[in-house]
Structures are given as C-alpha cells and as structure tokens.
Amino acid sequence: TEKYGRDRVAQIITFSTMAARAAVRDAGRVLEIPYGSVDKIAKLIPEGPGQTLEECMKPGAELRKAVDSDPVAREIVDLARPLEGLTRADSIHAAGVVIGAEPLMNIVPLQQKGADQEVVTQFSMNDVEALGLLKMDFLGLRNLDVIDKAVELIGGGLDITQLPLDDKKTYEMLSRGEALGVFQFESTGMREALRAVKPTTFEDIIALVALYRPGPMQYIPNYAARKHGKERVVFLDPRLKPITGQTYGISIYQEQSMEISKVVGGFTPAEADDLRKAIGKKIHALMASLKDKFIEGAVANNTSDSVARQLWEDMEKAQDYSFNKSHAACYALISYRTAWLRAHHPCEYMAALISSVMSTKDRVPFYVNACHELGIEVLPPDVNESQVDFAVVSGKIRFGLNAVKGVGELASRTIIRAREEGGPFESLWDFTERVDPSVVNKRALESLVKCGSLPGSRKGMLDVVEQALAYGQKQQADRVAGQSSIFDLGDDPATPTAPRQHPPIPTDEFEKGDLLKLEKETLGLYVSEHPLSALRGELRAKTDATIAELERRRDGEVLTTGGIVSSVRPMTTKRGEQMVFLRVDDVTGSTEVVVFAATYAQLQHLCVVDRILIVKGRVDHKEGETKLIALELSAFEAVQAKKTVELKIDATKVPATTIGDLRDLIKDFPGESLVRLACITSEGPKTLELGPAFRVAPDSNFFAEVKVLLGEAALS
C-alpha cells in the first residue's frame, strides 16, 4: 500500500461452504439429536475434498445403509442435503493480495473487514483474476523468524544465504530421519520418507517436499529404489531423459509436464501454460480440451500413438497431485536452512524454535522433549541467567522469563535491565529492592518463585513474598523521595554502610512432586524432570502414539496413548448422567480426553489426578482442537526396567539388509540393555544375542523406530 497507494491495493475475500459433514452436524444440532448419534452418522462420510452426500448415498455406501435402516439418520440427511454447498461464511484469504493500476473501486466492489478494517474485494480470487487484476500471494512463515533468531543467537556474522547446499553433515542427519523441528520434515511419515530416500542432494529435498502429499506419496518408494539402484530407470521416450532424469524418470513437477508438452507434444509456451493451469487448478474441462492436441502433436513429432497416450494418461494422473517445482524449491531451501542449523548449531536452533511457539501450549513440551532426545539439557528460568526468550547458556538451553505465566515481556525486560545495572540478584529481598514492583507485581513474583527462578527455598519465599514486596516498595519509594535509611547515616562519610537486615527466609522446602507441580503450573510443562521420564520406554511400548502425534493422526482413527492425569473436569449431561473431561500429559505434550457417561460409570475410580493411564480412544479434530474420545481406560502398571530387549524377526520375509539396518538403529540409541533377536529362519527358529557393543536404551523413540523397521509383531 505504501508503494502503490492504499486505494490500489486490497486483500481478497474467500468464501467457505458447508461440506457434507458440517451439514450433517448442523442438521443434527437443529433437530436436537444427541451429539453421539449425530457424530456416528457424520463419521460415515469420508474425510477429504469431494466427499458429497450424493457420493455417500450410492448403493452399498455405509451412509446409505444407515439411512435405509435408521429413521433418525434419514431425517438428519434429508435436512442436510439442501444445506450442503451453501456459503457458510466469508473471510480474508490467507495470502492473496490484489494490486491495481488504477483505484480498485473503479474495477471491483470493495468492503472493510476484521478488527483492523482491512480493505477486501467482494469478489473471490477467480473472479478477481478474470477481471484482469494482478493477484499476488504473500506467504508469511514463522520459520523465517526462527532462522533469524537462531542466526542472532549463534552470532559471528553467519550469513544464512551463503550456506553450501552440499553439506554432508546435514544430509547424514536427514538420512537418519532426525528431523524434529525441521521445516516440512518433522512429521512421522516424512521422517520415514527421509530414511527411505536418504537424501544426498538439494534436488532430493525439493522432490520430497513435492512428493510428500496425498497422491504422489505412492511414488516415494519408487524414487528411493531408483535413487539407490534397486529399481531400473526407464524412459518411454529418449527425449524425456533431460526432463525427468533428475527425478529418476518420475514426473513430479508441473514444469516437467509443461516441458514434455512442448518437446514431445509440440505445444507453444502459451499452450504449455494452459496445461499447467489445468493441472495446478484441477480444471478438468480445460485438461480434456488439450488431450487431442497433445496426442496429435506427439504423433506428428515422431512418437508412437501408444506412447503419446501413455504420456497423456500420466499427465492426467498428475492433475490430482502435481506440484510446481518453483514452490517446492522455495520450501526446500527453508527446510535445508533449518536442517543445517539443527545439524551444526542444535542448541541455538532449538532455543529459537521453542521461543517461536511459546504461545502454543502443546508445542513447547514437544520441542523440549526433542531437545532431551538430542542430548540438549533444557533448564528452568533463572533471574540471573535467563533472557526474555529461550537462550543458550554454557551449551544448555535456558528458559526465557517471558515463558513464565503472568510475567510477560515488559516485566522480563525490566528484570534483565536491573540485573545488567546491579549484577546478579542475591536473594528475594535484593530482587524486590531493585526491580520495579509496579511492573513485576505479586502475581508475577509468585510465578517466578514457584518455577524456581529465584535463589532459595520456594516454600520459604512464598511464605514471605508479601513482606518482600512491601520492603521493595518502601526502598524504591525512599529512593524516589531522596530519603536514606537510618543505616546510611553516620558522622564519618568513610564509615562503611551497615548491611540491611532482612527477616530470614524459612529453609524448609516442598516435596519433589510438589515442586514439579509448581513448575507445571507456571511454565505449562515439567522442565527439571517429568514424572514420566523414568517410565517413557515402558509407556511407549504399551501405546501406539505419543500425545504430540495425535494432531497428525486422521480424524476418527482409533489408537492407544498414555499419560498422567493433570486435571479432572466433571460435567452433568442433559440426561443427568456424569461424564468427565481429563487433561492427560506425557513427556511430549498434553491433550483433553473426553470420557462419556457410559465409560465413566464403569471406570470412575481411574479418573483421578496424578493417575497414570493407558487410554484407547478415537481421535477427534474439531474447531481447531484435537481431543481423544475415550473408549477404554486402564491403569498403567510399571515393571522393573528391562535388562534385555527381546525383538522378534521373520528372516524369511524381510530383506537381507534389515539386520544391518537394525544394527544401525541400535547404534542411534546407545544404552545399557542387551538386545536378543528371536529369528524365524529357513532352518527353523534361532536366537541371536547381539554383543556388548550393541547395548540399547529401550525408550519410546527406539520402540517406535523398531515398529517402522520390523513391524508391530517385533514387539509382541
């Protein structure tokens, strides 16, 4: 707006329509049918775009069966049908901005939206484009701030734009699947893809960014096999080698389809761009209109009819998934930079990453846990060492003062300024005397005490916190008024000032468990030690997923997780029945577990604070929040730590390289437990005990990797 004028720049409106599931849920709510009944019907509609009620009502479909057999389902669906597809709401496009050569009011209707009264077009992006206006996408990424912050923490004039793109250490790290915190690569599935492909070039990173999405994911095994010489690369036409050679004969990008259409099909650049638009925007009518022209052009260009049709068929398939390489390359560059920082400066990078998610309650524990797995110690806040955000101190990450509940950025900066001016704080009294009490009030001070950021007994300091605040206020008021304490008066100016006498702070302390609870209360997570740290391996062995993984699991998926109950919120249903909402934590995060009346009636004795539970439940993604609907609850019983880890492996069904891969995996998790393999071989069962050089730490991540490599049966 500053460059082109406020009357010539606007954001673009976007309209959300009511999808099939939403229509069913709204219909059920209006009809006042219980949530559980409506939810069952809604879950019969598959997730994803294009899932309409009409599609789901075809003979044999699950929804059709429910409607035919249940009058309630029929009533809901009948009311939902006319609602489906209606415009539900309008909002501002996440990135779309339109720029005009003249005032936009002359060309397109405008309106103001949002708290900031932003100027927005009343036409959606396709109509804006049809009018001939320039439409741009400005994408903001938190990861760019993370990179900047990490570079600032590293110091030394690092120029992130000049990194070599062939850094061996970075590719070795990614090839091991160590990518927590790496942009685009931290999901479980993407880490598996990294281990399969074992990237060695920047081209591999670009390809993975483009391939790891619904549709093209099926080609990741082919890409990996061809890269490592396990599958032959074949080109339908020799002219394809310069176009798809870098991607091992797999056409991944829209640019490749454009080039094929020009080189083989004889398309002009403008026609190739029409093809790109048809693929990228999934415009099936435009795609169909280009078919005959491509086949005729290819045949005229010395291509057999069968090969021409096969190439066209491949491009038609690409309409469902093809990515533009220019976009993938930009993302890949950010991914590579975050990976390089993680590989070479893990402390600084993880500190910057955690600082960036401080306002997101579930991500801080997730990344703190990732630090532990990297061998990086994360320390609680300390008024004598902490900065505003997370920082690196002596090779460890120190919590930022701004992360303490009730403190905030202004108070954090005030504390740091007082420390810089007067040196380290020696006691609670010293702190209140030097830090402005109008900025660091009673609530903030109590939080700082509870999380252990001040020197001394937390219990003792909480007992005298009001006295300390009153003392500090008096000292600061005296200074402002220019008064002196009677201890400062003396006949001889050279006489040393007598030290101020403060009431002693009691030295008795809370129990360890209570101290951990105070940490959780003020920081949102356990820092010095998690109550489940010693049990994480056992807990992982009895579950399918950590709590941090729930948000990436599909809606409706049934899985088993576990954790410690941190809060219980009871509720009475409309029918007068009791149900509860549990807050369950593990070392990676926290989630809400909904225990409906029928389940609660049987398992009420388990739903208590500090109980460690195994929860079998259904993932429920709704209104931007992930919950778990409890189906079964059971108490977690700890067993004595295993001195030997036993794994089962069917050597007749796995590749010969699997044992080598397992040895490499064990080396990635060094520990004290011996590993014994129960092998099924062509000559019968055999037991193989790996030597002392292959001792392992049987933690949650080791068992997760074993499941990926050997399958679920390996741990049974």
Side-chain angles (χ1 to χ4, degrees):
T1 55
E2 290 174 5
K3 183 176 180 65
Y4 297 106
R6 294 191 174 276
D7 59 341
R8 299 175 188 226
V9 179
Q11 291 186 261
I12 299 172
I13 203 165
T14 183
F15 299 103
S16 59
T17 56
M18 197 175 294
R21 273 196 177 190
V24 164
R25 292 189 191 280
D26 279 6
R29 189 159 51 246
V30 169
L31 294 170
E32 297 186 348
I33 293 167
Y35 171 81
S37 301
V38 178
D39 188 57
K40 286 179 184 176
I41 297 166
K43 293 286 173 67
L44 296 177
I45 302 166
E47 285 188 279
Q51 298 297 334
T52 64
L53 285 172
E54 185 180 349
E55 282 289 320
C56 297
M57 286 295 289
K58 288 181 177 178
E62 292 297 319
L63 184 63
R64 177 64 178 269
K65 292 175 185 176
V67 168
D68 289 344
S69 61
D70 183 357
V72 174
R74 186 182 307 115
E75 185 180 15
I76 291 173
V77 172
D78 285 346
L79 181 56
R81 276 179 152 170
L83 299 176
E84 185 184 14
L86 293 179
T87 298
R88 186 170 199 170
D90 65 286
S91 57
I92 301 175
H93 192 284
V97 175
V98 64
I99 305 172
E102 59 180 292
L104 291 175
M105 196 174 287
N106 299 342
I107 307 163
V108 63
L110 304 172
Q111 69 182 65
Q112 289 182 300
K113 272 189 72 67
D116 298 326
Q117 290 294 288
E118 294 165 272
V119 178
V120 182
T121 66
Q122 291 187 38
F123 288 169
S124 63
M125 59 181 184
N126 291 333
D127 294 326
V128 165
E129 192 173 33
L131 286 170
L133 288 166
L134 178 64
K135 180 167 63 70
M136 306 287 285
D137 267 13
F138 291 96
L139 195 62
L141 290 172
R142 173 177 55 83
N143 307 80
L144 298 175
D145 290 329
V146 173
I147 291 170
D148 277 354
K149 180 70 175 176
V151 170
E152 179 188 324
L153 289 173
I154 294 163
L158 172 65
D159 186 349
I160 199 71
T161 65
Q162 298 301 311
L163 296 183
L165 293 178
D166 57 355
D167 181 67
K168 186 178 179 182
K169 188 175 182 180
T170 302
Y171 288 114
E172 286 175 348
M173 179 191 78
L174 292 174
S175 295
R176 294 191 299 268
E178 295 172 11
L180 285 178
V182 175
F183 178 58
Q184 293 279 304
F185 285 88
E186 69 176 8
S187 71
T188 304
M190 186 57 109
R191 296 204 307 273
E192 288 175 18
L194 284 169
R195 282 190 286 269
V197 171
K198 299 191 185 308
T200 54
T201 67
F202 187 59
E203 278 291 335
D204 291 334
I205 306 291
I206 301 173
L208 277 168
V209 168
L211 284 170
Y212 193 78
R213 288 171 302 109
M217 287 176 72
Q218 62 180 308
Y219 294 111
I220 292 176
N222 302 94
Y223 186 96
R226 294 181 185 187
K227 175 178 173 62
H228 299 293
K230 297 177 181 177
E231 185 178 298
R232 194 159 156 253
V233 179
V234 178
F235 299 99
L236 287 173
D237 186 296
R239 288 170 291 184
L240 298 179
K241 188 171 183 179
I243 302 170
T244 61
Q246 274 193 319
T247 52
Y248 306 102
I250 302 167
S251 183
I252 297 173
Y253 312 114
Q254 292 170 14
E255 288 90 340
Q256 288 173 313
S257 293
M258 293 170 70
E259 198 64 20
I260 291 168
S261 73
K262 290 189 292 182
V263 172
V264 179
F267 276 27
T268 65
E271 288 167 340
D273 192 57
D274 286 339
L275 178 68
R276 175 204 57 79
K277 186 182 292 186
I279 292 173
K281 304 291 184 182
K282 295 180 172 59
I283 307 172
H284 293 279
L286 178 57
M287 191 77 181
S289 71
L290 297 169
K291 178 178 180 179
D292 291 341
K293 182 168 185 60
F294 176 83
I295 292 172
E296 289 170 8
V299 171
N301 231 346
N302 300 317
T303 307
S304 70
D305 184 74
S306 60
V307 169
R309 291 185 182 279
Q310 181 62 55
L311 288 172
W312 182 258
E313 190 179 317
D314 291 344
M315 284 195 282
E316 279 187 321
K317 287 179 185 174
Q319 191 170 12
D320 294 327
Y321 65 77
S322 188
F323 211 63
N324 54 314
K325 187 177 182 180
S326 50
H327 190 158
C330 292
Y331 267 23
L333 184 61
I334 298 170
S335 300
Y336 180 84
R337 287 174 178 173
T338 59
W340 187 93
L341 289 167
R342 188 187 188 278
H344 290 270
H345 302 279
C347 281
E348 291 81 1
Y349 178 67
M350 294 306 290
L353 186 62
I354 299 171
S355 294
S356 76
V357 295
M358 276 199 301
S359 60
T360 313
K361 59 183 180 182
D362 292 333
R363 301 312 286 172
V364 173
F366 177 75
Y367 288 129
V368 168
N369 182 60
C371 288
H372 291 315
E373 292 172 9
L374 284 168
I376 300 170
E377 191 174 350
V378 179
L379 304 173
D382 186 318
V383 293
N384 288 325
E385 287 195 349
S386 291
Q387 300 300 320
V388 175
D389 294 327
F390 287 73
V392 178
V393 179
S394 303
K396 301 171 183 177
I397 295 178
R398 177 69 76 176
F399 244 76
L401 294 174
N402 194 24
V404 182
K405 289 182 180 176
V407 175
E409 187 171 343
L410 177 60
S412 301
R413 294 194 184 283
T414 302
I415 293 167
I416 292 167
R417 185 165 59 249
R419 182 178 76 205
E420 290 171 346
E421 291 172 356
F425 300 105
E426 296 178 2
S427 67
L428 176 65
W429 305 105
D430 184 31
F431 182 87
T432 56
E433 182 180 351
R434 291 163 52 193
V435 178
D436 187 347
S438 66
V439 178
V440 182
N441 56 24
K442 181 185 176 185
R443 178 168 173 251
L445 183 58
E446 285 180 338
S447 290
L448 288 166
V449 170
K450 286 178 179 178
C451 70
S453 68
L454 282 153
S457 156
R458 292 185 228 182
K459 188 174 188 299
M461 285 188 282
L462 287 174
D463 288 342
V464 300
V465 75
E466 290 195 12
Q467 292 171 263
L469 271 171
Y471 165 79
Q473 288 168 343
K474 173 75 166 58
Q475 294 300 319
Q476 295 199 35
D478 286 351
R479 277 201 298 273
V480 170
Q483 298 174 3
S484 299
S485 163
I486 59 169
F487 294 111
D488 295 330
L489 297 175
D491 296 330
D492 184 358
T495 302
T497 302
R500 293 190 176 91
Q501 299 298 312
H502 307 302
I505 295 173
T507 56
D508 56 322
E509 187 58 283
F510 293 111
E511 295 290 331
K512 183 178 179 181
D514 294 325
L515 290 173
L516 290 177
K517 286 179 185 176
L518 290 175
E519 261 186 22
K520 178 76 188 303
E521 176 191 330
T522 52
L523 302 177
L525 70 155
Y526 303 101
V527 180
S528 55
E529 183 182 339
H530 196 285
L532 299 180
S533 292
L535 303 172
R536 68 166 70 188
E538 287 183 62
L539 198 59
R540 181 67 193 192
K542 295 182 179 181
T543 58
D544 302 323
T546 62
I547 285 174
E549 291 169 8
L550 298 186
E551 67 179 6
R552 291 191 289 273
R553 296 299 187 98
R554 69 177 186 278
D555 192 42
E557 182 178 353
V558 174
L559 50 76
T560 304
T561 190
I564 186 169
V565 178
S566 59
S567 70
V568 179
R569 181 164 57 91
M571 178 181 165
T572 304
T573 68
K574 291 180 181 178
R575 296 180 180 179
E577 298 172 323
Q578 285 290 310
M579 62 175 289
V580 291
F581 296 88
L582 306 178
R583 176 59 57 177
V584 177
D585 306 337
D586 72 0
V587 293
T588 69
S590 175
T591 193
E592 187 169 78
V593 176
V594 182
V595 186
F596 285 120
T599 308
Y600 182 61
Q602 298 174 8
L603 303 168
Q604 182 174 351
H605 63 286
L606 295 175
C607 301
V608 292
V609 172
D610 292 340
R611 193 70 182 259
I612 303 175
L613 297 179
I614 301 295
V615 183
K616 182 179 181 181
R618 188 177 68 249
V619 177
D620 186 55
H621 300 303
K622 190 168 63 176
E623 297 173 1
E625 188 176 357
T626 299
K627 298 179 182 180
L628 200 61
I629 310 300
L631 303 175
E632 297 174 17
L633 299 175
S634 59
F636 170 79
E637 300 295 340
V639 296
Q640 195 170 9
K642 290 183 178 180
K643 292 184 179 178
T644 301
V645 174
E646 295 195 7
L647 304 176
K648 295 179 182 178
I649 182 169
D650 188 342
T652 64
K653 295 181 180 178
V654 298
T657 57
T658 300
I659 294 294
D661 291 339
L662 179 60
R663 287 173 183 267
D664 292 341
L665 175 60
I666 290 168
K667 286 182 177 179
D668 289 340
F669 294 89
E672 298 302 319
S673 299
L674 289 168
V675 179
R676 183 182 296 136
L677 298 182
C679 300
I680 299 172
T681 72
S682 56
E683 299 175 1
K686 290 187 178 182
T687 300
L688 174 65
E689 191 164 296
L690 302 186
F694 293 94
R695 290 179 184 268
V696 72
D699 66 10
S700 58
N701 291 288
F702 172 72
F703 288 121
E705 299 287 359
V706 168
K707 285 181 183 180
V708 172
L709 180 63
L710 303 179
E712 298 280 343
L715 299 174
S716 59

